[in-house]
């Protein structure tokens, strides 16, 4: 299949770009340029979550995955509605690996299985929402969207 082909061809090369799925072997970066290829990215990285809800009008731009260690990675989905950008991050980290989004926290509440934090930036007009599940999973969404929409994006992010 295509993922096995990419794995085989990536050995010994610095970069590979085939049908919208790029692998940068030396940095272990993966870039998915087509939404139709997300299933192949999940096959390659089973821990990857897939968006189950994206607000109407937003189109997929890309998914970038950066593996930071054998057990850790950061996946960044980028969506655009023509005027605004929506970012959705998944951070899978080693237990006790520190927090990526600690600087963003201003308001929070405990949830079953984790905690959610929300921040508004009135000057930029960008709001963000971060969910911490377990010690090793963080989900983050940011854009010109209200809290309820950001929470809906994250609660529909599917393993």
């Amino acid at each position: 299949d295509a993922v096995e082909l990419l794995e085989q061809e990536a050995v010994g090369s610095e970069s590979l770009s085939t049908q919208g799925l790029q692998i940068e072997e030396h940095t272990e970066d993966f870039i998915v340029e087509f939404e139709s290829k997300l299933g192949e990215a999940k096959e390659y990285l089973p821990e990857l979550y897939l968006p189950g809800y994206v607000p109407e009008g937003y189109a997929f731009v890309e998914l970038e995955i950066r593996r930071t260690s054998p057990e850790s990675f950061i996946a960044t989905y980028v969506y655009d509605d023509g005027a605004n950008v929506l970012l959705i991050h998944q951070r899978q980290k080693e237990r006790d690996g520190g927090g990526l989004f600690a600087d963003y926290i201003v308001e929070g509440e405990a949830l079953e299985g984790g905690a959610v934090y929300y921040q508004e930036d009135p000057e930029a007009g960008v709001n963000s929402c971060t969910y911490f599940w377990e010690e090793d999973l963080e989900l983050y969404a940011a854009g010109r969207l209200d809290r309820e929409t950001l929470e809906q994006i994250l609660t529909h992010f599917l393993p």
Side-chain angles (χ1 to χ4, degrees):
D1 77 10
V3 173
E4 289 178 23
L5 178 64
L6 289 171
E7 290 177 71
Q8 292 169 0
E9 290 183 20
V11 174
S13 69
E14 284 191 4
S15 179
L16 171 70
S17 178
T18 303
Q19 299 175 358
L21 184 62
Q22 298 176 22
I23 299 175
E24 302 285 340
E25 186 183 28
H26 63 284
T27 60
E28 295 193 59
D29 286 356
F30 306 78
I31 297 174
V32 179
E33 297 172 330
F34 301 106
E35 196 168 24
S36 62
K37 299 291 184 182
L38 291 180
E40 292 179 34
K42 178 130 175 92
E43 284 180 30
Y44 194 77
L45 186 64
E47 302 91 351
L48 181 67
Y49 281 38
L50 299 175
Y53 169 76
V54 174
E56 189 173 325
Y58 280 85
F60 179 83
V61 175
E62 72 175 14
L63 163 63
E64 180 181 341
I65 302 168
R66 172 160 289 190
R67 187 166 283 285
T68 55
S69 76
E71 296 83 28
S72 303
F73 67 88
I74 299 171
T76 303
Y77 289 87
V78 180
Y79 289 86
D80 189 323
D81 73 354
N84 300 298
V85 173
L86 166 64
L87 298 177
I88 308 170
H89 299 283
Q90 174 190 354
R91 181 177 186 218
Q92 192 75 38
K93 60 182 181 157
E94 297 173 31
R95 293 202 179 267
D96 300 322
L100 177 63
F101 305 117
D103 293 341
Y104 294 100
I105 296 171
V106 294
E107 175 187 337
E109 63 184 82
L111 293 180
E112 186 175 334
V116 60
Y117 297 92
Y118 176 75
Q119 177 180 354
E120 292 181 355
D121 184 344
E123 284 185 30
V126 175
N127 303 321
S128 63
C129 196
T130 305
Y131 278 121
F132 296 93
W133 270 291
E134 312 279 326
E135 290 182 24
D136 58 352
L137 176 63
E138 296 171 10
L139 303 175
Y140 169 82
R144 293 179 186 262
L145 300 164
D146 61 38
R147 180 181 183 153
E148 292 77 24
T149 303
L150 292 170
E151 287 184 8
Q152 187 174 7
I153 291 167
L154 295 181
T155 57
H156 289 86
F157 212 41
L158 307 172

